[in-house]
């Protein structure tokens, strides 16, 4: 499973919990977060370490041109556990991240299609949890059937299937099970994808049109338009082209005056980045960091031990460390 999430969901704890569940994630982080650059990849992305996880960072500029000739865009910094640039190129992941807004379709299907706009019926927390799990289970089952049906027609976008059609077909299937005399004749396609899948394939929606508009909610108590600062057009406007430029960052070094490290860990990463996978003694690290006082060197040794316990570093020998990279990543960093 691949989890897509917006800027408010990139905390270390949440990313760690997602990874422990066995899922992958593609999350946008804020511009204030600057992960240390450990290894540059050929597609312009780079590897870093966050909360003990090996994460790939993609920095890209997205410019959208509408049919009326206006342009707008923004910079994106994405974090993902899909670290293989060969199977998951950076530009494809940027385009895939755009589909995160489709969670609103799920909310619509749950609230208006399944619940028909009504509120939950349970009166206690245990009953509410049971009812929500029941709705989510039914929703996931129908979505799985929709994807399975579309996979029988290569090249068809799953977005062309309608959730309400799947729900009505499921209800009709239950009715046919209750009254078998009303069952239609044999259908070879139904044996392959089921009655629900057959109905979906016969009622595919047209391809989605590329459109854009400002996603803002008007405040009824305000008579002014200062609240609308979105550069996108107010009304739905066709999109003529979308240009994605992956921005390759400059590999920082300890002597780079353009940008100073903001934490001891980032300072250490700037020193180890040019020597990835090469063990360095603690004394050499202290010299690179300009630590001359005995107490400062002792504190650094304690901090290196702490980072090693948190799987941020690997100790290869007494007082000798290197950045931790999985074997499958190390083998993919060649020419």
């Amino acid at each position: 499973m691949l989890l897509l999430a917006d800027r408010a969901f990139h905390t270390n704890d949440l990313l760690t919990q997602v990874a422990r569940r066995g899922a992958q994630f593609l999350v946008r982080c804020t511009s204030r977060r600057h992960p240390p650059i450990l290894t540059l990849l050929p597609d312009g992305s780079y590897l870093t370490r966050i909360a003990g996880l090996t994460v790939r960072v993609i920095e890209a500029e997205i410019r959208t041109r509408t049919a009326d000739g206006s342009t707008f865009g923004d910079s994106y910094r994405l974090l993902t556990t899909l670290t293989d640039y060969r199977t998951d190129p950076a530009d494809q992941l940027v385009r895939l991240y755009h589909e995160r807004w489709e969670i609103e379709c799920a909310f619509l299907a749950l609230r208006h299609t399944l619940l028909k706009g009504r509120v939950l019926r349970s009166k206690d927390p245990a009953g509410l949890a049971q009812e929500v799990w029941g709705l989510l289970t039914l929703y996931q089952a129908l979505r799985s059937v929709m994807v399975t049906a579309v996979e029988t027609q290569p090249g068809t976008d799953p977005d062309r299937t309608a959730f309400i059609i799947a729900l009505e077909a499921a209800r009709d299937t239950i009715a046919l099970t209750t009254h078998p005399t009303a069952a239609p004749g044999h259908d070879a396609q139904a044996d392959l994808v089921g009655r629900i899948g057959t109905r979906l394939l016969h009622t595919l929606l047209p391809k989605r049109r590329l459109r854009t508009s400002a996603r803002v909610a008007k405040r009824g108590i305000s008579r002014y338009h200062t609240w609308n600062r979105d550069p996108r057009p107010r009304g739905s406007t066709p999109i003529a082209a979308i240009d994605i430029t992956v921005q390759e960052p400059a590999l920082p070094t300890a002597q780079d005056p353009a940008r100073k490290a903001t934490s001891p860990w980032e300072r250490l990463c700037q020193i180890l980045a040019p020597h990835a996978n090469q063990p360095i003694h603690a004394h050499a690290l202290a010299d690179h960091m300009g630590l001359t006082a005995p107490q400062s060197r002792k504190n650094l040794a304690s901090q290196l031990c702490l980072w090693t316990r948190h799987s941020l570093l690997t100790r290869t020998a007494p007082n000798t460390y290197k950045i931790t990279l999985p074997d499958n990543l190390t083998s993919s960093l060649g020419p």
Side-chain angles (χ1 to χ4, degrees), residues 70-299:
S70 59
T71 61
F72 57 89
D74 197 0
S75 297
Y76 287 73
R77 181 178 289 115
L78 305 180
L79 307 177
T80 180
T81 50
L82 300 175
T83 53
D84 194 341
Y85 66 91
R86 295 185 178 92
T87 58
D88 302 294
D91 57 338
Q92 292 187 12
L93 291 181
V94 174
R95 294 182 182 277
L96 177 63
Y97 175 73
H98 173 70
E99 299 190 10
R100 72 194 182 282
W101 68 268
E102 294 188 6
I103 185 61
E104 297 181 6
C105 297
F107 296 150
L108 178 68
L110 290 169
R111 183 172 62 243
H112 294 285
T113 306
L114 290 179
L115 289 175
K116 295 183 178 180
R118 64 173 176 82
V119 298
L120 298 178
R121 296 171 294 181
S122 303
K123 303 297 183 180
D124 57 272
L128 290 174
Q130 184 180 18
E131 190 172 357
V132 169
W133 274 111
L135 290 171
L136 293 176
T137 301
L138 175 59
Y139 176 85
Q140 186 71 12
L142 291 176
R143 285 293 182 186
S144 299
V145 172
M146 295 165 65
V147 174
T148 302
V150 170
E151 287 177 346
T152 62
Q153 296 186 0
T156 303
D157 194 334
D159 293 337
R160 295 183 59 187
T161 56
F163 184 83
I164 190 172
I165 298 296
L167 179 61
E168 293 175 352
R171 289 170 175 166
D172 294 342
T173 302
I174 296 176
L176 292 176
T177 304
T178 307
H179 306 285
T181 57
H186 179 74
D187 189 348
Q189 188 177 19
D191 294 339
L192 182 62
V193 296
R195 291 190 176 92
I196 301 176
T198 302
R199 181 87 64 87
L200 290 169
L201 294 178
H202 289 167
T203 57
L204 288 176
L205 301 175
K207 293 183 178 180
R208 285 182 176 174
R209 295 170 293 170
L210 288 177
R211 296 173 294 171
T212 185
S213 63
R215 300 184 60 202
V216 293
K218 187 179 184 304
R219 297 177 59 185
I221 62 175
S222 175
R223 296 178 298 171
Y224 308 98
H225 295 283
T226 56
W227 50 269
N228 184 14
R229 299 179 180 178
D230 197 318
R232 290 172 290 188
R234 293 288 304 278
S236 179
T237 305
I239 296 176
I242 299 178
D243 299 324
I244 299 177
T245 304
V246 178
Q247 300 174 340
E248 181 176 344
L251 190 64
T253 62
Q255 294 79 22
D256 186 5
R259 177 175 172 269
K260 296 181 179 180
T262 57
S263 65
W265 167 247
E266 188 172 354
R267 291 178 60 193
L268 180 68
C269 290
Q270 290 184 356
I271 296 172
L272 294 178
H275 309 284
N277 296 322
Q278 296 180 10
I280 300 180
H281 197 274
H283 292 324
L285 293 174
D287 294 337
H288 280 290
M289 300 177 73
L291 302 178
T292 58
Q295 185 61 37
S296 300
R297 289 176 171 263
K298 183 177 180 181
N299 294 339

